[in-house]
């Protein structure tokens, strides 16, 4: 593998740093799927994308070169640039997920214990619970009120304001805890967030909790019951950082999979008048199995493709099925980058490295490739050809040694339409930890690889 940094001149290096600075800001600000959709729309609109709702309402036709997006329930974003070729020739599709592992407040979160107010939680996605204690945490989310209004919540991101956190036992009294296996050291039910300690004057019972509810009432005009219809996500507080003395990497929350989401979106923003229709979908719920109305297994994407067919050349069932079957997709998700502290989990010929550029995974899954999409070599050859022609740095990898573990993505879900799909993405260290790490050059190469894919796939 040739390290991608080596191929750049000074001007190109600057371009890498400036592109990834935009990414650093994006993940600093967007820590929930909803925040990613809102910011994603803002970026897309700046690049000429229009909300498809108005086209649908007015039955306004779409023509080659038109750029539209769909906001699905505030949690998925699907974008399309209409191509010159008929839809039945298929689309070139980029996909990534915008949900990340985190800790959610329960429906009834609030309680008090000896003058400390806490919020009870249920974690989301696969986390090592011990990584989430004793660090500054923020609250991002929404509270939906009975009158139909929605309150946006962000607490813990401004320099002067407070953060919250989850406590851990002092080492001095941890004799029993330290004997436990890592998975048991911090129990999931014990991830309780500390939120206050001042009792409300004149209140007899749960006075600290009462005081916190009073503060929330003042700030957001919400009652305790309103948290029944709320989504409050507990995430690491603070900005993503430049990482390494040479600032060659980024340390930030939620890079799985917002690194692929951001680069896919930015790639689409660089494309004008494509031959084939190109599309990008940023989806929710990957970390919990892609289920639900906003997960990839939902019909929302299929539905919007049908609508677009109707607005371009007129809906036709066969054309619709052919469109999906003839499409090609990069299902982008992060890969496990080589970590010098833990070399034993990798088989070195089939591992991805920082500086190696975008990663393609022919298969993921676990055990005997169980649950894997396992892309066709004909398709891989077409991708190799495109990326080599465009001087893209790319590498192939598996997630660790055979039988070491594994992972899944959204690839198999789109493959059921009989389209060609392959897993690709960016290598990450500390995957699913509060602070994940990527290499800036890999982030930049991924974006360029996505542009090439959208333009070149026949
Ligand atoms: Mn992922
Ligand atoms: Mn993940």
């Amino acid at each position: 593998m040739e390290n991608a940094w080596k191929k750049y001149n000074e001007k190109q290096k600057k371009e890498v740093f400036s592109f990834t600075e935009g990414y650093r800001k994006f993940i600093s600000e967007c820590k929930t799927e909803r925040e990613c959709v809102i910011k994603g729309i803002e970026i897309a609109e700046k690049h000429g994308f229009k909300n498809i709702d108005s086209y649908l309402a007015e039955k306004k036709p779409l023509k080659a070169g038109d750029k539209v997006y769909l906001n699905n329930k505030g949690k998925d974003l699907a974008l399309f640039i209409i191509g010159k070729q008929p839809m039945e020739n298929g689309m070139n599709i980029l996909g990534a997920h915008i949900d990340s592992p985190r800790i959610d407040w329960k429906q009834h979160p609030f309680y008090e214990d000896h003058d400390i107010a806490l919020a009870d939680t249920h974690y989301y996605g696969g986390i090592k619970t011990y990584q989430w204690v004793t660090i500054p945490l923020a609250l991002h989310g929404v509270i939906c009120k009975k009158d139909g209004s929605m309150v946006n919540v962000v607490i813990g991101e401004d320099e002067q304001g407070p953060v919250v956190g989850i406590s851990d036992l002092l080492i001095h009294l941890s004799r029993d805890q330290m004997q436990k296996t890592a998975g048991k050291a911090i129990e999931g039910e014990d991830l309780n967030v500390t939120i206050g300690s001042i009792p409300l004057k004149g209140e007899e019972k749960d006075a600290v909790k009462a005081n916190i509810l009073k503060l929330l009432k003042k700030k957001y005009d919400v009652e305790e019951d309103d948290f029944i219809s709320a989504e409050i996500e507990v995430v690491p507080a603070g900005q993503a950082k430049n990482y390494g003395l040479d600032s060659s990497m980024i340390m930030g929350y939620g890079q799985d999979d917002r690194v692929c989401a951001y680069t896919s979106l930015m790639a689409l923003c660089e494309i004008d008048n494509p031959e084939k229709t190109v599309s990008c979908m940023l989806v929710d719920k990957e970390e919990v199995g892609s289920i639900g109305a906003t997960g990839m297994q939902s019909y929302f994407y299929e539905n919007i493709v049908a609508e677009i067919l109707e607005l371009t050349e007129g809906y036709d069932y066969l054309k619709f099925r052919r469109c999906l079957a003839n499409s090609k997709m990069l299902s982008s998700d992060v890969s496990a980058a080589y970590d010098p502290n833990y070399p034993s989990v990798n088989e070195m010929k089939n591992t991805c490295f920082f500086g190696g550029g975008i990663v393609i995974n022919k298969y993921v899954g676990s055990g005997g490739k169980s649950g894997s999409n396992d892309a066709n070599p004909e398709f891989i050859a077409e991708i190799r050809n495109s990326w080599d022609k465009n001087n893209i740095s790319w590498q192939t990898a598996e997630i660790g040694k055979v039988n070491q573990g594994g992972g899944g993505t959204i690839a198999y879900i789109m493959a059921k339409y009989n389209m060609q799909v392959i897993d690709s993405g960016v290598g990450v260290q500390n995957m699913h930890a509060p602070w994940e790490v990527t290499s800036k050059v890999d982030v930049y190469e991924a974006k360029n690889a996505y542009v090439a894919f959208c333009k070149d796939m026949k």
Side-chain angles (χ1 to χ4, degrees), residues 96-101 255-258 260 286-287 332-335 408-410 431-432 436:
H97 68 91
I98 47 177
D99 62 316
S100 294
Q255 301 202 66
D256 174 6
D257 183 33
R258 292 174 191 139
C260 298
E286 192 278 342
E287 295 294 355
S332 287
D333 206 341
V334 292
S335 209
T409 65
I410 59 171
M431 197 190 294
H432 284 207
E436 301 172 315

Side-chain angles (χ1 to χ4, degrees), residues 361-363 372-380 420-423:
N361 308 89
K362 185 176 187 300
Y363 43 84
S372 164
N373 164 62
D374 208 343
N376 267 8
E378 295 91 330
F379 182 39
I380 300 177
Q420 301 269 30
V421 185
I422 189 165
D423 284 294

Side-chain angles (χ1 to χ4, degrees), residues 75-93:
K75 293 182 170 184
D76 303 296
L77 182 59
L79 306 105
F80 297 83
I81 308 175
I82 309 303
K84 294 170 195 155
Q85 293 185 20
M87 291 281 287
E88 67 181 308
N89 290 7
M91 301 175 287
N92 293 334
I93 306 172

